[in-house]
Amino acid sequence: AQSVAQPEDQVNVAEGNPLTVKCTYSVSGNPYLFWYVQYPNRGLQFLLKYITGDNLVKGSYGFEAEFNKSQTSFHLKKPSALVSDSALYFCAVRALTGTASKLTFGTGTRLQVTL
Amino acid sequence: IAGITQAPTSQILAAGRRMTLRCTQDMRHNAMYWYRQDLGLGLRLIHYSNTAGTTGKGEVPDGYSVSRANTDDFPLTLASAVPSQTSVYFCASSPIAGSPDTQYFGPGTRLTVL
């Protein structure tokens, strides 16, 4: 069975500083990895995904994520955080169940960016 | 561009009552999904549909049923609601089942069962 771990419930960072939100995964075969962001009282929005190719994936709003196969990690990063980045972030891994594309989500990490 | 719409936005329901959460997408996506979001548990898949006319069970299907009569609509029904079904429910869709497509999410329905 596949799983995703987000070890930090909350990450606090000052505006302008770099941020990292951690994610590790477990899946049989090649992983397809996703990051989603959820703003208050909203649905999840897609940020970026890793399918194959370059280990560094660039996504929306200046976010990027680095796939590390040996460490089974897919940490989300941004060089300079903004207050508007404050939200709930979910890492997800895709596994194939029958013919369904099943995403398994982590429990989420709340990012708080302060002035 | 509407994307995915869900109704109602929120609902308070007495235990034992029947409730249908509606989900409609206008992107002509083949695959659709229902998740529930609970604090500390992330999102868990309830049911999914690869294409119109087919459905499947996800991680937490008990107490829920779905139907997929056409491409656009994917209603979720609670036949007899219980307090443990208090949650925020998200509908999602993706272009093709069985591929690493991005899933697109609706705004959610907040359901409280008393």
Side-chain angles (χ1 to χ4, degrees):
Chain A
Q2 69 283 350
S3 64
V4 174
Q6 293 182 244
E8 303 154 315
D9 290 335
Q10 181 157 328
V11 170
N12 298 307
V13 64
E15 188 174 55
N17 284 358
L19 70 88
T20 298
V21 182
K22 295 179 181 178
C23 171
T24 58
Y25 66 90
S26 174
V27 68
S28 297
N30 293 324
Y32 301 127
L33 295 155
F34 300 78
W35 275 103
Y36 285 84
V37 59
Q38 185 180 30
Y39 298 100
N41 300 313
R42 302 286 296 275
L44 276 68
Q45 296 178 28
F46 169 76
L47 271 181
L48 51 80
K49 66 182 177 183
Y50 171 82
I51 305 299
T52 186
D54 289 340
N55 290 340
L56 186 63
V57 179
K58 294 188 182 296
S60 306
Y61 313 121
F63 284 92
E64 57 190 27
E66 186 169 9
F67 170 64
N68 187 317
K69 188 172 183 178
S70 63
Q71 297 185 4
T72 61
S73 67
F74 190 57
H75 301 331
L76 182 70
K77 300 181 180 183
K78 187 173 182 181
S80 179
L82 299 172
V83 172
S84 58
D85 292 330
S86 299
L88 188 58
Y89 290 81
F90 289 96
C91 181
V93 63
R94 175 196 167 254
L96 190 63
T97 302
T99 56
S101 179
K102 177 179 177 293
L103 275 183
T104 296
F105 286 85
T107 54
T109 298
R110 186 165 301 281
L111 174 66
Q112 186 69 46
V113 182
T114 54
L115 290 171
Chain B
I1 299 175
I4 297 180
T5 57
Q6 293 185 236
T9 301
S10 65
Q11 181 75 45
I12 298 174
L13 188 67
R17 297 296 295 270
R18 180 183 180 91
M19 176 73 191
T20 295
L21 308 185
R22 300 185 298 279
C23 173
T24 299
Q25 54 107 355
D26 63 1
M27 298 177 284
R28 308 302 294 173
H29 285 175
N30 283 319
M32 297 187 74
Y33 314 86
W34 273 106
Y35 294 90
R36 59 178 290 174
Q37 182 180 19
D38 302 289
L39 191 64
L41 296 176
L43 276 80
R44 293 179 292 169
L45 182 67
I46 304 171
H47 284 287
Y48 64 88
S49 170
N50 292 335
T51 188
T54 69
T55 63
K57 293 181 179 180
E59 183 182 356
V60 288
D62 294 344
Y64 305 96
S65 64
V66 292
S67 62
R68 187 88 184 276
N70 57 60
T71 297
D72 298 344
D73 301 301
F74 191 43
L76 176 73
T77 297
L78 289 68
S80 179
V82 295
S84 61
Q85 291 178 311
T86 294
S87 188
V88 182
Y89 291 85
F90 289 100
C91 180
S93 71
S94 63
I96 303 171
S99 73
D101 276 336
T102 300
Q103 290 187 14
Y104 297 86
F105 285 78
T109 293
R110 184 174 296 275
L111 181 66
T112 302
V113 182
L114 302 176

